[in-house]
């Protein structure tokens, strides 16, 4: 009389055999902090859960490579928070992960789960957008790599094809001297879903990357505004125009957490703050007119 | 004093830190049925059809009952008026109302049965706000309220002096409308109850604050004699008023008697949001001041929005508005308060019993008056505070403390005159409340042959520490060490009558009862000693460490005992009664035993860009008379103040137009976390031994929750220059107010 | 093992346990219903309140949203495993001494979160304590006394200089 069956495959092949088609009746589980809550809340009612935790080919490593970092499918948010290289080179990601849920949630929840869940308010997404992360997928027909912005498609919808799963997420190192930061606005100081989130990366005196969370169906990387913002590092007026342009790229809604108007105003405040913070952290800031 | 005034550690803490403390939700009785409730998905709807076949087919499900399966007329329950049905009949009146119940051999089967029950509804227009309820063509929540054709259940009026005549003399009039949202208690322990049939009656185990009141309500609902209903109050995992009045117990009792089996109703924390809430209110207040900031008049119209059933709400409306003058001398006053039905969660007692909305309004009025008259906020309060012995509410007890002392101390502790960095502000406020007027508490104290003691009281242990504090009082009184005292609490078959564990009353009223029961024990021992010829008639005894001394020779209780009875027999049973002053014709039935007065000062920082408020420092000062256990008192204050902080900054239940609760879960109903605690928090107690309780104690417990909101609002106003009249003061509201200012 | 159950073996409060669990059972349910360990409290059942906090391999988790079969091969500590041999743990003592226990419903979870914090970080700052406990709601105490209790426990647990020589 179980609500759902659970399978704990030991290998990817075994897992693929359980995931014949992209099927609402089957759900993958990493930390379960989204899946199990959605089942509880009646938002989904899968017949079968497939656990990722026992699959031998998947790992929970955060590996530093020559070109960047690779975050394994099972890497926990709390490991990302504490990882020295993430802290130093991908500060915005560590900061975002640190602000997800509580210690208990971060100890179970994974970065890949946060991405696959594709919530507009998912906190690791804006930093991953800023770091041009690539999602490595694996399926019965092989592997493919998809840029994060193409992977996340709509609330709860991703580019995951039938039977595929995320094997890892890779972030190339940002340029030397780059600084980054994540700012989150929520209704209270402790454990809360973002009302607005902003991640930024700044390097040299003229490069800004920005991604905004909870102000559209997916995180928004206002590419058109970034050159203005870059120029704005030395020119307040350009900076203001850049911020306005960035806000114009968003399409926030009103919900019980906040109104659209508030989000529209806050996205500018958060973006400014995230960029300022990143700029302070960028070691090339001596070349910047603060 | 040896024990009173000491930070005696909680008697039940060792069990609580090891996880061995039992809560009702942990309980099981052999042969028990598990019940889960099917709830209404709309605020107001006609129940068209119920299809329970699929639910009944779930293995383990024993039965699925709707109103059609229950007696006609449906048994109703309620403490003020019996208006709440065991299951909704014909229509549901609030989102989450019990419409059917599934009984099963396991909790999972019962839950699955709930999921499989299909009930069809026809939506009706719902009343979710005061404006909805009072509209000319408002749908009626009940067909026949006391004011037929209206959702106004009752109106209460208080007046003295002549408000109209006083108006011309006013230099400044402050007039505003304030709103206070629907708030949920958010006790961590979900509601659960076990009932089982017993000897033609029923026994109930429930985390209930008022076991005797519950006994009455169940007896009335099921037409049983009081003696046939036994309520055993279990230790409460947070109540704050939500577990005061009958909730699921009448249904559980009915099901147990109907099935002849023990029945446990379990609910989730989400269910608690559709079980109990605080009254929301719209308060219109007009306060007139002379040039020096002295209040000349006050006119109050307070519309309290009850839920779909009365619960304790009419009494709350009546009682809170009785003290609409706050702690201030108001020569001319007129207050009209209405208790109004709506299609929302039934509203019940909640820490502060209706005072927070009035307090927020009045203290904000004071703040505004101070600003417009150019008087310091502390000073304007000092000018209006009643002095010791001065009348507050005409006909009630006068001020029982020198309240300016507490206000000054509170101001000092926050550093009232220290320079403030930009973007920060300071606020101060005073909260006041009276306990249950004319109330009754009985206690039994049994002295045993081995010099140990049993204290039997109707008070419930709900985390406030009553089991420790009442034992301290007995220990002090009889000189028997704490570890030889056993508390029996809240079992109506084992302890004498007490009206309620509420209103910050137990230390005073039950404390007095325990103290007088102890004195009764001593009196009896004296009689026994005299009868044995151990002391001369008329001689007075000294009590020391459980020993009685006749000056020359020392006699222990035990000596008297064994000589009077024998080594193996006997018990000295002391009886104590405290009865508040009942006054015929008094609107509340009697006089206040004491005034619970608290002072809170807050330093807050406001980020003008986001509107985010951070509380830098919070000070609580209580006029406590005598702290039986100072540590308990301070941590009660702080707990109350943090609850008040939540009310002030983030808490509110949000309904949609169909009367559906949109944030009835901890996911979207926010309460403060460790990250939201003020960066500095300190408490202090004013102790002048001037209370009505034992050793001069007054009550505490609701305190912080009454006025923390007002103090925070004042600090935010001080920081921003904008007054907030609607709680909660969310970041968005602050931002919106500041943006409007800029335009 | 049937289709609906799963055999797991794990260490529970230091003792090896093998048990068949329903595949859809959460750890909290198994601890409370199957193993009779009622010290783990359940409140929100959705990961928000922390009342059900246990340690899995030394890290905190909300046992209400962890599938029981996920702890196969892990070490689980519940509140019942904190006091050893009937002697209260210094964290438990500190909670009592500071008045950090009111109704007690949040207490087991609070104590386990505190333990995980102090096991990894014996000298936390106030900010770190607050952050470590943000997932443990308490409606009674206002947290102030809990924060004090954690500091006191940290002090008690720190080796006194010179001791052990
Ligand atoms: C109390 C609480 C607070 C929270 N607070 C926040 C917050 O502040 N910010 C925030 O962003 N989130 C928050 N969350 C959501 C959640 O914790 C995060 O999204 C977390 O990162 C999800 O990771 P997980 O491993 O637990 O995901 P799971 O629940 O295991 O999975 C989430 C989704 O991803 C899919 N999935 C997981 N792994 C893979 C994979 N390798 N390949 C393909 N699909 C996969 C699953 O099928 C599912 O659809 C909160 C959750 C709770 C319960
Ligand atoms: S019961 Fe598990 S987090 Fe609340
Ligand atoms: S002590 Fe009651 S919830 Fe914390």
């Amino acid at each position: 009389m179980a609500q759902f069956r659970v399978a704990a495959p030991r290998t990817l092949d075994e897992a693929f055999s359980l995931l014949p088609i992209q099927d609402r009746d089957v759900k993958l589980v990493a930390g379960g902090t989204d899946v199990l809550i959605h089942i509880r809340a009646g938002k989904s009612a899968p017949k079968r859960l497939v656990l990722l935790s026992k699959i031998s080919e998947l790992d929970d490593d955060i590996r530093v490579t020559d070109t960047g970092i690779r975050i394994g499918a099972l890497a926990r948010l709390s490991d990302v928070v504490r990882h020295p290289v993430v802290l130093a080179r991908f500060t915005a990601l560590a900061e975002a992960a640190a602000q997800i849920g509580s210690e208990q949630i971060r100890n179970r929840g994974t970065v890949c789960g946060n991405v696959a869940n594709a919530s507009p308010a998912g906190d690791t997404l804006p930093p991953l957008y800023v770091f041009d992360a690539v999602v490595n997928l694996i399926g019965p027909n092989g592997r493919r790599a998809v840029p994060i912005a193409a992977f996340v498609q709509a609330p709860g919808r991703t580019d995951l094809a039938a039977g595929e799963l995320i094997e890892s997420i890779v972030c190339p190192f940002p340029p030397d001297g780059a600084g980054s930061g994540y700012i989150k606005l929520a209704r209270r100081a402790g454990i809360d879903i973002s009302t607005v989130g902003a991640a930024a990366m700044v390097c040299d005196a003229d490069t800004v990357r920005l991604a905004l969370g909870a102000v559209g169906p997916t995180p928004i990387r206002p590419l058109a505004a970034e050159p203005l913002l870059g120029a704005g590092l030395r020119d307040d007026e350009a900076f203001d125009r850049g911020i306005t342009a960035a806000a114009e790229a968003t399409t926030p809604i009103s919900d019980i957490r906040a109104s659209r108007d508030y989000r529209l105003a806050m996205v500018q405040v958060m973006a400014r703050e995230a960029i300022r913070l990143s700029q302070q952290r960028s070691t090339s800031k001596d070349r910047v007119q603060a | 004093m040896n024990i009173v005034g000491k930070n005696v550690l909680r008697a039940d803490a060792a069990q609580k830190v090891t996880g061995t403390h039992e809560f009702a939700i942990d309980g099981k009785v052999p042969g028990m049925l598990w019940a889960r409730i099917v709830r209404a998905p709309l605020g107001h709807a006609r129940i068209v059809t119920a299809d329970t076949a699929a639910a009944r087919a779930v293995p383990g499900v024993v039965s699925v009952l709707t109103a059609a399966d229950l007696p006609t007329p449906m048994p109703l329950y309620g403490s003020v008026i019996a208006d709440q049905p065991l299951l909704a009949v014909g229509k549901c009146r609030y989102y989450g109302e019990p419409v059917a119940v599934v009984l099963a051999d396991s909790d999972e089967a019962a839950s699955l049965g709930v999921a499989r029950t299909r009930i069809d509804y026809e939506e009706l227009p719902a009343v979710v706000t005061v404006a909805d309820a009072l509209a000319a063509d408002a749908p009626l929540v009940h067909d026949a309220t006391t004011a037929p054709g209206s959702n106004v259940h009752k109106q209460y009026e208080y007046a003295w002096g002549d408000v109209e005549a006083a108006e011309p003399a006013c230099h400044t009039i402050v007039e505003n409308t304030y709103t206070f949202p629907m708030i949920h208690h958010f006790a961590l322990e979900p509601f659960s109850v076990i009932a089982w049939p017993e000897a033609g009656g029923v026994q109930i185990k429930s985390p209930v604050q008022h076991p005797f009141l519950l006994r009455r309500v169940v007896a009335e609902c099921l037409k049983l004699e009081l003696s046939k209903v036994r309520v055993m109050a279990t230790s409460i995992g947070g109540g704050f008023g939500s577990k005061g009045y009958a909730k699921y117990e009448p249904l559980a009792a009915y099901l147990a008697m109907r099935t002849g089996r023990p029945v446990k109703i379990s609910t989730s924390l989400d269910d608690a949001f559709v079980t109990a809430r605080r009254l929301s209110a719209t308060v219109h207040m007009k306060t007139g001041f002379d040039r020096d900031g002295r209040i000349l008049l006050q006119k109050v119209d307070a519309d309290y929005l009850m839920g779909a059933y009365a619960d304790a709400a009419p009494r709350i409306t009546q009682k809170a508005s009785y003290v609409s003058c706050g702690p201030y001398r108001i020569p001319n006053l007129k207050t009209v308060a209405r208790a109004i039905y709506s299609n929302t969660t039934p509203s019940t007692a909640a820490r502060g019993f209706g005072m927070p909305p009035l307090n927020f309004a009045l203290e904000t009025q004071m703040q505004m008056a101070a600003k417009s008259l150019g008087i310091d906020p502390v000073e304007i309060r000092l000018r209006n505070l009643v002095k010791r012995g001065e009348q507050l509410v005409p006909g009630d007890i006068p001020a029982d403390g020198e309240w300016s002392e507490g206000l000054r101390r509170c101001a000092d502790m926050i550093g009232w005159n220290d320079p403030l960095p930009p973007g920060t502000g300071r606020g101060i406020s005073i909260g006041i409340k009276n306990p249950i007027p004319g109330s009754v508490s009985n206690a039994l104290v049994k002295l045993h042959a081995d010099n140990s003691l049993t204290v039997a009281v109707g008070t419930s242990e709900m985390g406030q520490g009553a089991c420790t504090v009442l034992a301290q009082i007995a220990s002090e009184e009889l000189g028997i060490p704490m570890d030889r005292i056993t508390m029996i609490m809240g079992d109506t078959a084992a302890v004498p009558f007490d009206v309620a564990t509420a209103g910050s009353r137990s230390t005073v009223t039950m404390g007095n009862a325990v103290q007088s029961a102890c004195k009764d024990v001593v009196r009896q021992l004296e009689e026994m000693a005299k009868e044995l010829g151990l002391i001369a008639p008329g001689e007075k005894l000294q009590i020391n460490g459980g020993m009685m001394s006749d000056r020359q020779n020392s006699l222990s209780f035990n000596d008297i005992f064994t000589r009077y009875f024998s080594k193996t027999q006997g018990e000295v049973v002391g009886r104590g009664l405290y009865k508040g002053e009942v006054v015929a014709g008094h609107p509340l039935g009697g006089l206040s035993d004491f005034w619970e007065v608290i002072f809170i000062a807050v330093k807050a920082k406001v980020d003008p860009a986001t509107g985010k408020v951070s509380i830098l420092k919070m000070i609580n000062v209580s006029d406590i008379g005598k702290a039986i256990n100072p540590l308990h008192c301070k941590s009660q204050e702080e707990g109350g103040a943090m609850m008040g902080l939540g009310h002030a900054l983030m808490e509110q239940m949000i309904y949609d137009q169909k009367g559906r609760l949109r944030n009835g879960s901890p996911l979207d109903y926010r309460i403060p976390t460790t990250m939201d605690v003020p960066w500095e928090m300190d408490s202090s107690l004013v102790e002048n031994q001037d209370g009505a309780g034992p050793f001069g104690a007054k009550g505490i417990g609701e305190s912080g929750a009454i006025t923390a909101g007002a103090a925070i609002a004042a600090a935010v106003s001080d920081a921003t220059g904008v007054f907030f009249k609607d709680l909660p003061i969310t970041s968005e509201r602050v931002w919106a107010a500041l943006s409007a200012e800029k335009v | 093992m049937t289709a609906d159950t799963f055999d797991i073996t794990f260490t529970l409060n230091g003792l090896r346990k093998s048990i068949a669990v329903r595949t859809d059972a959460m750890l909290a349910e198994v601890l409370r219903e199957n193993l009779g360990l009622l010290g783990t409290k359940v409140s929100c059942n959705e990961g928000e309140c922390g009342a059900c906090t246990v340690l899995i391999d030394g890290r905190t988790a909300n046992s209400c949203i962890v599938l029981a079969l996920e702890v196969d091969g892990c070490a689980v500590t519940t509140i019942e495993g904190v006091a050893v041999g009937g002697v209260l743990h210094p964290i438990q003592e500190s909670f009592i001494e500071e008045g950090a226990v009111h109704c007690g419903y949040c207490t087991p979870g609070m104590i386990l979160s505190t333990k995980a914090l102090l096991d990894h970080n014996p000298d936390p700052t106030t900010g770190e304590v607050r952050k470590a406990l943000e997932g443990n709601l308490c409606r009674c105490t206002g947290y102030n006394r809990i924060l004090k209790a954690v500091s006191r426990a940290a002090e008690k647990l720190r080796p006194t200089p010179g001791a052990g020589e």
Side-chain angles (χ1 to χ4, degrees), chain B residues 462-481:
Chain B
M462 55 187 298
Q464 86 281 46
C467 73
T468 310
V469 164
L470 295 173
Q472 274 181 272
I473 291 168
S475 173
E476 186 70 50
E477 205 55 42
L478 294 177
I480 290 179

Side-chain angles (χ1 to χ4, degrees), chain B residues 567-695:
Chain B
K567 279 202 173 72
T568 54
Q569 293 194 85
E571 196 164 64
V572 181
V573 183
R575 188 176 153 260
L577 165 68
Y578 177 84
K579 194 165 148 297
E581 201 149 331
V582 175
V583 178
H586 188 283
L588 298 186
L591 303 188
S592 307
D593 306 291
F594 61 90
W595 298 105
E596 178 178 7
V597 179
I598 178 154
F599 311 88
I600 296 191
V602 165
K603 205 163 115 189
K605 193 174 104 206
V606 178
D607 173 5
T610 58
K612 208 173 130 204
V613 176
S614 314
I615 308 299
L616 305 176
K617 188 169 178 179
M618 183 183 249
I619 301 293
N620 292 278
V621 177
S622 273
D623 187 69
I624 177 78
K626 170 75 193 168
I628 307 294
N629 189 319
L631 180 62
H632 281 200
C633 293
K634 289 184 179 179
S635 59
Q636 275 297 308
E637 278 187 333
E638 291 167 2
M642 274 305 279
M643 189 180 259
L645 181 150
H647 295 7
L649 298 180
M650 59 186 84
E651 297 181 33
Q652 56 180 327
M653 291 164 68
I654 301 168
Y655 278 90
D656 68 13
Q657 270 311 307
K658 292 176 191 285
R660 290 178 299 199
L661 181 58
R662 297 192 55 205
N663 63 340
S665 92
L667 174 64
D668 271 316
Y669 183 92
R670 311 271 68 173
I671 65 164
T673 70
T674 47
M675 300 287 282
D676 302 280
V677 183
W679 283 97
E680 263 183 85
M681 204 162 176
D682 203 0
S683 311
S684 174
L685 305 169
V686 177
E687 294 185 81
N688 292 320
Q689 285 78 35
D690 48 6
F695 313 101

Side-chain angles (χ1 to χ4, degrees), chain A residues 27-28 30-35 52 101 110 114 116 122-123 166 184 192, chain C residues 47:
Chain A
K27 270 268 172 207
L28 295 172
T33 61
D34 276 314
V35 176
L52 300 180
T110 60
N114 197 231
D123 284 304
I166 302 178
K184 167 170 176 169
D192 203 359

Side-chain angles (χ1 to χ4, degrees), chain C residues 41-53 62-65 135:
Chain C
K41 297 295 164 215
V42 172
S43 177
C44 71
N45 235 327
E46 55 193 56
E48 288 279 344
C49 78
C52 65
T53 302
N62 295 317
S63 61
C64 70
I65 54 164

Side-chain angles (χ1 to χ4, degrees), chain B residues 499-573:
Chain B
V499 70
T501 307
S504 308
R505 69 184 283 276
S506 296
T507 299
V508 171
T509 56
M510 188 55 83
N512 276 332
V514 168
Q515 191 179 39
S516 77
C518 290
K519 291 195 195 302
D520 190 29
V521 167
V522 172
R523 192 189 50 72
Q524 292 181 50
L525 284 167
E526 278 175 354
E527 295 290 315
M528 287 155 63
K530 278 179 199 157
E531 207 179 310
L532 292 168
L534 298 173
I535 50 168
E539 212 170 347
K540 234 12 276 116
L541 284 172
Q542 293 279 330
I543 296 179
N544 204 339
M547 311 280 272
M548 293 178 104
S549 156
D550 61 355
R551 286 205 196 97
Q552 292 89 27
N553 315 312
S554 217
L555 276 178
S556 71
F557 288 177
N558 194 251
D559 283 338
I560 303 173
F561 228 104
T562 42
R563 288 195 213 189
Y564 192 86
F565 298 113
S566 80
K567 279 202 173 72
T568 54
Q569 293 194 85
E571 196 164 64
V572 181
V573 183

Side-chain angles (χ1 to χ4, degrees), chain A residues 1 185 187-193 256-259 261-262 265-266 269-270, chain B residues 58-59 112 609-610 650 654 662-663 667-668 670-671 673 675-676 731-732 735:
Chain A
M1 215 192 39
L185 182 72
R187 292 163 297 175
R188 67 178 176 192
I191 175 176
D192 203 359
I193 297 167
I256 50 172
R257 293 196 265 285
S259 71
D261 284 351
Y262 185 55
M266 287 310 106
V269 177
M270 297 296 113
Chain B
V58 171
L112 198 58
T610 58
M650 59 186 84
I654 301 168
R662 297 192 55 205
N663 63 340
L667 174 64
D668 271 316
R670 311 271 68 173
I671 65 164
T673 70
M675 300 287 282
D676 302 280
S731 305
E732 180 166 351
W735 167 81

Side-chain angles (χ1 to χ4, degrees), chain A residues 1-6 8 30 33 36-37 40 49 51 53-54 76 78-79 98-99 101-108 188 190-191, chain C residues 3-4 6 22-24 26 45-48 50 53 56 59-62 64-67 69-70 72 113 131-132 134-137:
Chain A
M1 215 192 39
Q3 285 183 68
F4 46 77
R5 299 268 174 91
V6 182
T33 61
L36 296 171
I37 299 296
R40 277 278 157 72
L49 299 184
L51 305 188
S53 56
K54 305 280 195 296
R76 306 266 152 109
S78 54
D79 293 328
Q99 294 181 70
S102 58
E103 186 69 19
Q104 290 93 320
I105 296 295
R106 295 187 289 272
N107 283 335
R108 304 298 301 174
R188 67 178 176 192
I191 175 176
Chain C
D4 277 348
F6 202 94
R22 264 197 0 261
T23 60
D24 65 343
M26 298 298 160
N45 235 327
E46 55 193 56
E48 288 279 344
T53 302
I56 301 177
R59 292 176 171 197
T60 55
N62 295 317
C64 70
I65 54 164
V66 173
L67 287 164
L69 57 83
E70 290 274 30
D72 189 26
S113 283
K131 186 77 182 150
E134 74 176 308
N136 291 85
L137 297 179

Side-chain angles (χ1 to χ4, degrees), chain A residues 13 23-24 44-45 69 101 119 132 136 148-150 157 172 176 191 194 196 200 226-227 231 233 238 245 272 275 277:
Chain A
D13 281 343
D23 185 348
R24 265 186 300 126
S44 79
I69 49 160
S119 157
D132 290 330
N136 290 323
I148 182 92
R157 212 175 71 223
D176 279 348
I191 175 176
S194 289
V196 176
E226 285 184 1
L233 295 175
R272 273 175 201 277
I275 296 168
L277 184 67

